[in-house]
Amino acid sequence: MSLTVVAECVAAPGQEDRLRTALEAMIEPSLEEPGCLAYRPYTDPNNCARMAIVEEWANAQALADHFTTAHFRHVQQVLERVLAEPMTIRKLVTAPAH
């Protein structure tokens, strides 16, 4: 069963461009990972400091492997410096049909 992840970030004041750049730099290497089906950042049109990344992974192991990559470890270090609050990560699966 595939896994959809919504990661929400809020940039500290003045750090909006650094956040966007860091998240955009994750697109290509993440999409090259085995099991990554989608990886796309979004910006809140009413608050440029708020961004979300919507990801789809083939399974939980593919996501776990993503967290061990060099590009993920690098973006974690950048996020520690540019976020106003800790990133929120929601892991979702398709709702069962009734």
Side-chain angles (χ1 to χ4, degrees):
M1 176 185 312
S2 70
L3 185 64
T4 299
V5 175
V6 179
E8 296 178 274
C9 304
V10 178
Q15 298 296 317
E16 297 86 358
D17 286 342
R18 287 189 72 198
L19 174 60
R20 186 176 60 257
T21 299
L23 297 181
E24 288 174 351
M26 290 289 291
I27 298 169
E28 189 174 325
S30 297
L31 288 172
E32 291 175 356
E33 292 178 49
C36 182
L37 307 175
Y39 196 96
R40 186 163 183 177
Y42 294 87
T43 302
D44 182 335
N46 299 309
N47 180 354
C48 66
R50 186 172 298 279
M51 292 191 71
I53 306 95
V54 179
E55 312 166 25
E56 186 175 359
W57 297 91
N59 53 47
Q61 186 59 53
L63 177 61
D65 292 346
H66 170 66
F67 292 142
T68 68
T69 63
H71 54 273
F72 183 83
R73 288 193 308 270
H74 172 75
V75 82
Q76 271 187 308
Q77 293 174 350
V78 173
L79 295 180
E80 287 174 6
R81 296 189 300 270
V82 303
L83 292 183
E85 57 192 52
M87 179 170 45
T88 302
I89 299 176
R90 290 182 176 79
K91 298 175 186 174
L92 308 166
V93 296
T94 303
H98 291 294

